Amino acid sequence: VQYRLKQWKKSLNTLLQIKEIYLIELNEQEQINYYNAIGLIYKRINDYTKAIQYFHKATEVAHRFKRNEWVGILTGNIGDVY
């Protein structure tokens, strides 16, 4: 909801706390979504170094689980940063 309302920093804080507070064991798709969402938020707030870092984390998961469609999406997200 915060992301849709363009409350980028609140969204980022929520996402970063979710994994730590609840110690969620995410499946591969959830891991990709999680890292991609954080990357998108960092991109929105112009922290391009961290955006790329999280897009790369998502890409690593996508490669590991052979989610080639996501490799393409994430590569595009990295390209958008540049």
Side-chain angles (χ1 to χ4, degrees):
V1 173
Q2 294 167 337
Y3 185 86
R4 289 188 182 137
L5 295 174
K6 298 182 180 181
Q7 296 175 348
W8 311 123
K9 292 198 181 204
K10 284 185 182 180
S11 296
L12 180 60
N13 288 335
T14 299
L15 282 171
L16 292 173
Q17 289 175 6
I18 285 173
K19 196 171 182 188
E20 289 182 28
I21 291 174
Y22 299 107
L23 299 174
I24 297 172
E25 290 295 321
L26 303 174
N27 68 35
E28 70 264 9
Q29 185 59 55
E30 292 168 331
Q31 288 176 34
I32 293 167
N33 290 341
Y34 176 80
Y35 291 130
N36 184 54
I38 293 173
L40 290 170
I41 293 169
Y42 275 124
K43 181 180 152 205
R44 292 277 187 171
I45 61 172
N46 302 319
D47 190 337
Y48 301 120
T49 301
K50 286 189 179 176
I52 290 171
Q53 175 185 353
Y54 278 92
F55 290 144
H56 279 296
K57 285 183 181 188
T59 302
E60 289 172 13
V61 176
H63 277 296
R64 188 171 50 231
F65 291 102
K66 298 182 184 357
R67 301 298 301 265
N68 294 327
E69 71 282 7
W70 272 101
V71 172
I73 291 167
L74 294 160
T75 301
N77 287 348
I78 292 167
D80 284 344
V81 171
Y82 292 105

